[in-house]
Amino acid sequence: MLRIAIQTKGRLNEESMEMLNSIDINVENAKRKFLSKANNFPIEVLYLRDDDIPGVVANNTAQLGIVGLNEVEEKQADVEIVAKLGWGGCRISLAIPKDEEYTGVEYFNGKRIATSYPGILERFLDEKGVKANIEVITGSVEIAPAAGIADAIFDIVSSGGTLVTNGLKEVERVFESEAVLIANKNLSAEDKELLDEIMFRIESEKVSAKKKYLLMNVPAQNLDKALQILPSMRSPTVMPLADKEWYSLHSVVDAGELWNKVKQLKAIGAEGILVLSLDKIIL
Ligand code: PRT
Ligand code: ZN
């Protein structure tokens, strides 16, 4: 039985649950429970604060975890980063009061910087040869300069709205993050096999999200043109219709190409074009 640690509540909880759901692992989001078992896969979910997830995966209390890369980096956790999940994107940046003139990283020499990420900040400042005082605060870091607790902050930025609201400006983007799937480095053969199954499902899901299924009727005289427009996974499926002047064509196309393809197909007389979303693509 595998155990996966995810955030109990907060920004990553919902999408972590959705991700498990999307790969057909059914677990109820039991907010008041500490552990819940999936009813169709040998896995149980351990709900934790995100700060604790890298540590429990490193010490094998949980074999897998879903957490922000920023937390893994901050804790310098000895875990495997198995997959970047493509959501939960943010960066950790240095920000200063908006009216200050910024001269480069040396600006921070002798300054007090408030942060919840002292590890990442310290490594960055050391690398740049800057000597600053790091004030560790958890929560509401962005009010520290106005409250006189610090001269600058080092905090998570996503849209940048919080900085603007607090009269701050972003001056150094230090670390780019997104949600990642992490694993213990010494998984048993059995656990590794389950992880491979999970990865296979995640990949199928990722591929299907980027594709659309197209069905249409095409006039017989333009069938060749349609086939040129629609290179498919192998080749499009072509079916003759009762009316010999028409064919039915089925194909999978890149979602980003969809409207361009539809336009070209209409131009050669395709009719009754249906566009369907795909649940899974098994390559
Ligand atoms: O209770 P627990 O310890 O589990 O949660 P937490 O409060 O420590 O973390 P939480 O739920 O706020 O965030 C979890 C993870 O989501 C982070 O570690 C990041 O990897 C990721 N993430 C993505 C973010 C954001 N985007 C984000 N915008 N985490 C926090 N923010 C906050 C940020 O702290 C700041 O206050 O949003 C504000 C900035 O947002 P903008 O859009 O105004 O720039
Ligand atoms: Zn946290």
Side-chain angles (χ1 to χ4, degrees), residues 57-191:
V57 174
N59 73 19
N60 212 23
T61 303
Q63 290 68 48
L64 303 180
I66 298 175
V67 71
L69 186 60
N70 51 310
E71 288 297 332
V72 181
E73 178 70 12
E74 177 61 23
K75 303 287 182 313
Q76 293 279 285
D78 193 18
V79 295
E80 193 92 45
I81 295 170
V82 188
K84 293 189 169 180
L85 299 174
W87 43 270
C90 59
R91 54 199 188 264
I92 315 186
S93 297
L94 279 158
I96 62 174
K98 70 173 190 319
D99 297 331
E100 285 281 304
E101 192 189 332
Y102 186 63
T103 48
V105 273
E106 58 283 5
Y107 169 93
F108 292 102
N109 272 312
K111 295 282 199 296
R112 296 165 304 159
I113 310 172
T115 188
S116 312
Y117 293 93
I120 298 176
L121 178 57
E122 198 177 336
R123 289 190 286 279
F124 174 75
L125 294 175
D126 278 355
E127 189 189 299
K128 299 286 178 192
V130 172
K131 295 233 169 315
N133 300 309
I134 300 177
E135 312 281 345
V136 181
I137 36 179
T138 49
S140 303
V141 171
E142 65 278 359
I143 63 163
I149 301 165
D151 306 302
I153 67 165
F154 178 63
D155 199 12
I156 293 183
V157 181
S158 172
S159 66
T162 304
L163 294 183
V164 172
T165 311
N166 288 280
L168 299 168
K169 63 179 175 188
E170 184 177 15
V171 292
E172 296 283 345
R173 293 179 172 209
V174 175
F175 187 81
E176 297 288 334
S177 182
E178 67 181 273
V180 289
L181 176 67
I182 57 173
N184 181 272
K185 283 194 165 168
N186 300 302
L187 289 183
S188 67
E190 206 175 301
D191 288 349

Side-chain angles (χ1 to χ4, degrees), residues 49-51 71:
R49 286 199 58 185
D50 65 347
D51 315 55
E71 288 297 332

Side-chain angles (χ1 to χ4, degrees), residues 16 22 86 153 207 251 260 283:
S16 302
S22 73
I153 67 165
V207 174
S251 182
N260 181 22
L283 293 174

Side-chain angles (χ1 to χ4, degrees), residues 218-231 249 264-265 267-269:
V218 176
Q221 82 264 21
N222 281 344
L223 184 61
D224 284 349
K225 285 186 188 146
L227 294 178
Q228 275 168 14
I229 297 168
L230 284 175
L249 221 78
Q264 294 179 51
L265 290 162
I268 59 153

